[in-house]
Amino acid sequence: KGDGRIKEMYARRFGAAGLILQIDCSQSDLRVAASYFGEQSMLQAYRDGADLHTLTAVIISGLTAEEYKKLPPKEQKKWRTRAKRVNFGVVYGGGAPALQSTLKKDGVFLTKEECQQMIDDFFAARYMLKQGIEDLKETVSAQGYLDSFTGRRSRAPMAFSEDRELVARAHRQSVNFPIQSGAADMTLMALVLIHMELKKRKLRSKLILTIHDSIILDCHVDEVLEVSLMAKEIMETLPQRSDEVLPGLDWSWLSCPIVAECELGTTWGTGVAFDPNKVLSGDEPTTPLVTVDKDGKKQY
């Protein structure tokens, strides 16, 4: 677990003439949540291109931005890891026990009280996010279900229970549904559009896998640049193209840019980040063939 062996089993069908391309919709859940709840501090961070995890690290560490920058790199990394878990954990409806368990897997051992303090500090700075989550809980309690922006419905009959633990479970299971389901459906729409475009252009490259906000393709080396540019453009302009898949969707709620990031490697497990636009402009090697040696160094 975690050593990449499964990913490395996804090899190139084109042999030496092939590469595995992965395209991620960067922090899609958090972008959807920020827009859905109207959390202006998060929206502004995404509009400015700032690192949201670092901003959250500053909040939960209790330091100023200047003090945080002066920390040793290892200390910054530790706080950023905590911040990342808080960011996603809160959106997924988790509390202090869940955060404590998740951090333990990262080798960070905190008490439940310390985890709760981080969550409290986070919500103090992200008031609209907290209010939005509480509003969703009230909606679930009133109607017993929630809908995503694409029309999917998650039913939560336990919300009507007289058992407080069952009600709390219903809230945890439902509160992230509009966010996670919405982000997943965005990936699925992009998946269909990319498939249509591959067929339209009569390319040899194949879609082979999708995991939540990631799409993986098996590409012929001659098509890597074209496919990566095409797929990145589709993911980043999805609201303008979604009518080809699901006509009539209301995208007025989405208030921050969508950013797609690419990785390329000889297997899925050895991908290295690259920007196809920089390759096109000549700022990166003209042949975006990237592998990683045993020391973790890039090889072009």
Side-chain angles (χ1 to χ4, degrees):
K1 182 177 180 181
D3 63 3
R5 291 186 184 181
I6 298 297
K7 285 187 173 183
E8 290 178 9
M9 294 169 71
Y10 284 79
R12 305 161 287 173
R13 74 183 61 214
F14 301 108
L19 289 168
I20 300 296
L21 171 68
Q22 175 174 317
I23 306 179
D24 293 327
C25 186
S26 173
Q27 299 179 11
S28 60
D29 289 41
L30 295 177
R31 291 174 190 271
V32 169
S35 297
Y36 191 84
F37 297 128
E39 179 49 66
Q40 293 303 314
S41 61
M42 295 172 68
L43 291 173
Q44 193 60 50
Y46 283 128
R47 291 168 187 155
D48 294 342
D51 179 10
L52 187 68
H53 296 322
T54 297
L55 294 179
T56 299
V58 171
I59 292 170
I60 65 174
S61 66
L63 302 173
T64 64
E66 290 73 22
E67 290 172 336
Y68 181 83
K69 290 178 182 178
K70 293 179 181 178
L71 291 175
K74 285 187 177 180
E75 194 69 13
Q76 288 188 26
K77 184 177 181 180
K78 182 179 71 174
W79 278 110
R80 192 178 182 279
T81 296
R82 296 178 183 181
K84 185 175 181 179
R85 298 308 181 193
V86 170
N87 279 333
F88 286 109
V90 165
V91 171
Y92 293 157
L99 178 59
Q100 181 189 40
S101 177
T102 303
L103 286 172
K104 189 180 294 184
K105 295 176 183 177
D106 293 325
V108 179
F109 301 94
L110 300 177
T111 66
K112 290 181 182 178
E113 290 73 22
E114 288 173 319
C115 290
Q116 186 60 55
Q117 186 60 55
M118 286 198 299
I119 293 174
D120 291 342
D121 292 341
F122 174 87
F123 276 135
R126 310 274 195 236
Y127 174 77
M128 292 302 295
L129 190 67
K130 179 177 176 59
Q131 186 59 52
I133 290 173
E134 293 304 317
D135 289 345
L136 282 184
K137 290 179 180 179
E138 290 184 11
T139 302
V140 171
S141 294
Q143 64 187 24
Y145 65 86
L146 288 176
D147 292 332
S148 73
F149 86 101
T150 59
R152 294 189 189 273
R153 176 165 293 183
S154 175
R155 302 184 187 278
M158 288 189 298
F160 299 130
S161 173
E162 294 182 1
D163 186 328
R164 294 174 65 180
E165 288 189 9
L166 291 180
V167 173
R169 186 186 303 174
H171 287 165
R172 287 195 302 272
Q173 292 176 349
S174 301
V175 73
N176 76 314
F177 171 74
I179 310 306
Q180 196 167 6
S181 177
D185 280 349
M186 288 168 63
T187 303
L188 293 177
M189 282 185 269
L191 190 73
V192 174
L193 288 167
I194 292 170
H195 173 68
M196 292 166 59
E197 197 65 28
L198 288 172
K199 291 182 67 177
K200 178 181 177 181
R201 301 187 187 194
K202 298 181 180 179
L203 298 173
R204 290 171 285 179
S205 300
K206 304 286 185 181
L207 286 161
I208 58 172
L209 191 65
T210 177
I211 299 179
H212 190 49
D213 57 5
S214 295
I215 293 175
I216 296 91
L217 298 102
D218 189 351
C219 296
H220 191 281
V221 68
D222 295 338
E223 299 174 355
V224 166
L225 189 56
E226 180 180 0
V227 171
S228 57
L229 286 167
M230 174 266 290
K232 180 176 171 67
E233 189 269 339
I234 285 175
M235 294 179 79
E236 294 183 338
T237 61
L238 185 62
Q240 290 77 51
R241 303 190 55 159
S242 66
D243 274 357
E244 298 176 53
V245 184
L246 287 177
L249 288 180
D250 179 10
W251 289 92
S252 61
W253 58 272
L254 186 62
S255 306
C256 66
I258 303 171
V259 176
E261 299 174 337
C262 302
E263 287 190 358
L264 198 64
T266 51
T267 70
W268 182 23
T270 57
V272 174
F274 89 105
D275 187 338
N277 290 305
K278 289 184 177 180
V279 174
L280 194 64
S281 65
D283 293 334
E284 285 191 2
T286 53
T287 303
L289 171 56
V290 187
T291 58
V292 181
D293 63 20
K294 291 182 180 180
D295 297 323
K297 297 179 180 179
K298 289 184 181 180
Q299 290 183 334
Y300 292 96

